[in-house]
Every structure is written in C-alpha cells, then in structure tokens.
Amino acid sequence: MPSSNPEAFRALLKPAAVRARAQEMLELGLAGRLLHFSVHPERLEACADYVLDTIRANYPTLDIPFHARWRHFVLAGDDRWQRLDAAAHFPDPAARGRAAYDLAVVSVLLDAGAGPDWRYRDAATGREIGRSEGLALASLDMFAAGLFSSNPVDPLRADAEALRHLDEASLAQGFQAGPANPLMALEGRAALLNRLGEELERQGLSRPGELFDRFSTAADTGTVRAGHMLGEVLATFGGIWPSRLTLAGVALGDTWRHPLIAMGEVTEGLVPFHKLSQWLTYSLIEPLEWAGIAVVDIDDLTGLPEYRNGGLFLDLGVIALKDEADRAKPHEVSSALVVEWRALTVALLDEVGSVVRKRLGRSREDLPLAKVLEGGSWAAGRRIAREKRVDGGPPLAIISDGTVF
C-alpha cells in the first residue's frame, strides 16, 4: 500500500525524478504511444538553431546570466533591484541576502501567467509593461513600498504576519489591476501569499529570508548543492499549494497524473514538475553568490515546463497535437494533454541544451541549462509566439489558478 512506502513518494520531490519521468514521456512520444502529442525529432536541430540565433542576438559575447527572477527587474538597462539595494544600505551581507530572498520568493509566487491584456505602468518611465516583466516590476515596487512587511520601520521584508493578512484588494492596487486592466487569477495569487504566511508560521519562521541563513549554515565548505536548495524550498513551501496530491503523508506539490507513466511501480501514473519551486531555486542562487557562497551542481535542476519553453517546441513542430481541435479549446492543468506537454518540454530542453553546447563548443560547466534557458529557450519561445500570434500568447489555452504557469 502507498501509505507504507512514503520514501517512494518523497523521491518524487527530487529533480532526478522530474527528469526521469519526463524522459519516459519522451520515449513514449517517440514510440507514438502518447494520447495527445506526436514527437518529431528530425525538427530538433532546427529548433536548436532557432534558440542559438536567439542567444547570439541577446548575448553576442555569450556572457549569459542564469535564468532567474533578477533578470526581470531590469528595465531598459536599469537594474531596479541594484538601485533598491544601494539605497537600502544593508548592514551586512546576511541582511541583504534575507531581503533578496524575501523579494525573490514573493515575486516568483506572483509570477503565474498575467494574461494578454494586463499591463503595469512604470512610474519612473511611464512605460506599460505586461507579462512576467510587468509582474516582476510590480512586485518589486510593492516590496519597496512595504506592502509585504508588518513593520513600518523595516519595509524591505516579507514577513508571515503581513502575508497572512494580505487581501486581494491591496494586491489588485499594487498590480494596478481592475476591470479595465484585468489580471488573471488575482484571487489565487492573494490566497497563495496568505498560505505562504500561514505555512511560515506553522514552521516557526518569521520570513522566507530565513532560508538564506539556512543555506549559509549548510555551506560549511563554502558551497551548497542546487538539489539541496530545491529540497529545502519544497519542504518549506510544500504546504502552500492548493488542491494537490498528498500520498503516504507526502505533499507532492506540482505533481500530476498520467495513465501511461511508471506502470507497475508504487508511484505509478505520477509525473512531478515543481516548476515554480525550481524557478524559485534558480532565483535563490545569485543572492548566495553575492555573499561569497558558491552553488554547485546547478544542472541537477531541470528545464522549466511552462508555456514559453513548451510553446517553442509546439510552434516549431518538434511536437504536434494529434488532434488539431485541441488547439481551439482550453485545457485544465491536470489534464493528460497538459501533463504530456509539460513533460515533453522538460525532456526536450535537455536535448536542445546538448545541441546548443555542441554547436558552441561549450561544456555543461561553461553553459549549464540555467543559461540555455535564459539565453535561450525561454526568449526563443516568446519570439516564436510573437511571430505566430498577434498577441504573442501561448499556442494552447490553459486554465490556471495562478499557481502553476
């Protein structure tokens, strides 16, 4: 019985399980056995070339940063986090690290798809910015204004007390959202931050930034493993996700069912992704490095199964819908179609990364997947979406509650 084997389910919280189940899904696709998608490996080289063209356009010197939330705080070359950091005069690296972690956690959790119509008007430039960049700037401005802090004399923090009591109206005001500027899943975003506050209190933590201290302590040799960081992120924030699977007492987070995966195993039919948790982990790496702590084995983490990366493969024909009618209707995140799409995305990102490294003559150490994503596949997914569709939206419509995509 599953209840007698919690370790089997706990293994699904590791990036190795994400990668293994995604590879199994790709193998099913190559064998023509998936329910909703066919896979066309002959188109992978052209897809990799498209990604490489995008990398060279965005980073001609190939000096590529990690795929992380910090990239979205830069507007027209102006790094808003650096500006806030300089003005804050943090007393020591640990205080800076805690504040950076507070911001990164809240900003990433607010980073689900905004929808095609929402825009954030930047007060400094007057520009209107949508999607992830707009969400990032809005979250940074809310953080700077102390919206996530319960202490008026210490605004640059996100603490459990403020998060527990944050209401939808305050969040809507911060996002400049309303009937004329609709933001998808606003209620879900507010509820997610409420649960974050509750979960922090349940664990005896006052703020997400305490994870920075935990990682600093773990880095007794001056390094910390990325996989360890993801494990801590999942353990700390696993309780905030709504309506998800809990099996054998293990909260499985961003894990979904598919009838063809791992048949005959204890964890049969379960496909883990942990997209937001991995995106958050990528975003927690740099504050540690600013404090002189090296993060190693970053390539243990996987590519991110979201609609930019997934859209890249669908728009360029590496994968194709078996029934084109599926393109015209919305799909639940829990559907087998979306689970297939996301798993294929994870596996194919590894394949693209390998081809891109080969083309550039770079090793995994020189060009880890986190840089391929940034350079890279995410930007290429956005680029092809703009070429294919007027609104630059994803190729499939996903029904999301603001906690997955």
Side-chain angles (χ1 to χ4, degrees):
M1 295 293 292
S3 61
S4 67
N5 194 359
E7 286 306 311
F9 292 94
R10 204 166 283 122
L12 295 176
L13 301 178
K14 298 181 183 298
V18 177
R19 185 166 268 119
R21 296 283 161 101
Q23 184 62 38
E24 184 178 351
M25 192 77 78
L26 177 58
E27 290 168 1
L28 287 169
L30 291 169
R33 294 178 54 203
L34 290 181
L35 305 176
H36 299 283
F37 287 94
S38 57
V39 180
H40 303 275
E42 72 278 4
R43 296 176 184 169
L44 187 66
E45 295 278 335
C47 178
D49 286 339
Y50 190 88
V51 171
L52 190 54
D53 288 344
T54 307
I55 289 174
R56 286 177 168 140
N58 292 341
Y59 299 98
T61 66
L62 300 182
D63 184 17
I64 308 168
F66 292 137
H67 188 57
R69 194 57 163 162
W70 307 102
R71 310 288 82 76
H72 293 159
F73 296 137
V74 180
L75 181 63
D78 180 16
D79 190 325
R80 301 296 176 82
W81 159 252
Q82 284 190 359
R83 186 190 295 185
L84 184 64
D85 178 20
H89 302 292
F90 292 113
D92 53 53
R96 181 197 197 201
R98 290 184 206 105
Y101 267 41
D102 284 347
L103 171 60
V105 169
V106 170
S107 187
V108 166
L109 292 182
L110 291 171
D111 190 41
D117 301 320
W118 176 80
R119 296 291 184 275
Y120 182 71
R121 188 178 188 278
D122 176 51
T125 64
R127 286 181 56 185
E128 293 190 349
I129 306 107
R131 304 198 182 272
S132 274
E133 289 85 350
L135 293 169
L137 289 173
S139 67
L140 179 64
D141 287 346
M142 286 185 267
F143 180 79
L147 182 65
F148 309 119
S149 172
S150 63
N151 186 350
V153 300
D154 187 14
L156 299 184
R157 58 185 284 133
D159 58 55
E161 178 71 13
L163 293 168
R164 276 199 314 113
H165 293 101
L166 184 69
D167 59 32
E168 184 180 344
S170 298
L171 201 59
Q173 183 177 7
F175 278 124
Q176 304 171 358
N181 190 30
L183 176 64
M184 285 176 56
L186 186 61
E187 181 181 1
R189 294 171 208 267
L192 188 63
L193 292 190
N194 296 156
R195 288 193 297 273
L196 171 61
E198 293 165 2
E199 186 65 15
L200 289 169
E201 288 196 345
R202 190 185 70 79
Q203 298 191 34
L205 301 174
S206 65
R207 58 192 290 194
E210 291 180 41
L211 267 184
F212 180 86
D213 298 314
R214 194 179 294 176
F215 293 146
S216 299
T217 302
D220 52 0
T221 62
T223 64
V224 62
R225 290 181 57 252
H228 169 75
M229 293 178 65
L230 176 61
E232 289 291 316
V233 166
L234 288 167
T236 303
F237 304 127
I240 72 176
W241 307 113
S243 305
R244 301 286 173 79
L245 292 170
T246 297
L247 297 172
V250 180
L252 292 176
D254 186 8
T255 297
W256 308 89
R257 295 189 183 276
H258 190 282
L260 301 179
I261 291 295
M263 297 178 71
E265 298 183 21
V266 173
T267 57
E268 179 177 337
L270 297 176
V271 186
F273 297 110
H274 311 307
K275 180 259 175 178
L276 273 178
S277 296
Q278 293 204 76
W279 171 227
L280 177 54
T281 303
Y282 280 127
S283 300
L284 296 181
I285 290 173
E286 284 163 86
L288 285 172
E289 294 185 334
W290 301 335
I293 298 168
V295 178
V296 298
D297 297 332
I298 295 172
D299 256 8
D300 284 355
L301 304 181
T302 75
L304 301 179
E306 44 76 51
Y307 69 85
R308 289 302 182 200
N309 288 320
L312 172 72
F313 297 117
L314 187 53
D315 281 336
L316 289 178
V318 181
I319 60 176
L321 288 165
K322 288 188 171 181
D323 183 355
E324 274 298 314
D326 284 329
R327 199 180 291 272
K329 48 189 167 184
H331 303 277
E332 296 282 355
V333 172
S334 59
S335 68
L337 183 147
V338 173
V339 173
E340 286 184 9
W341 187 32
R342 297 181 79 200
L344 289 171
T345 297
V346 171
L348 289 168
L349 284 169
D350 279 340
E351 299 296 324
V352 162
S354 179
V355 175
V356 167
R357 288 187 202 98
K358 183 178 179 181
R359 293 268 205 278
L360 294 175
R362 298 295 179 99
S363 67
R364 294 184 77 93
E365 291 72 29
D366 295 332
L367 193 63
L369 185 59
K371 294 187 177 184
V372 176
L373 294 173
E374 175 60 29
S377 61
W378 191 89
R382 170 175 282 185
R383 175 184 160 203
I384 191 65
R386 286 172 173 161
E387 292 174 7
K388 292 272 188 178
R389 290 169 292 281
V390 173
D391 67 353
L396 296 176
I398 307 299
I399 301 169
S400 176
D401 62 1
T403 65
V404 176
F405 282 88

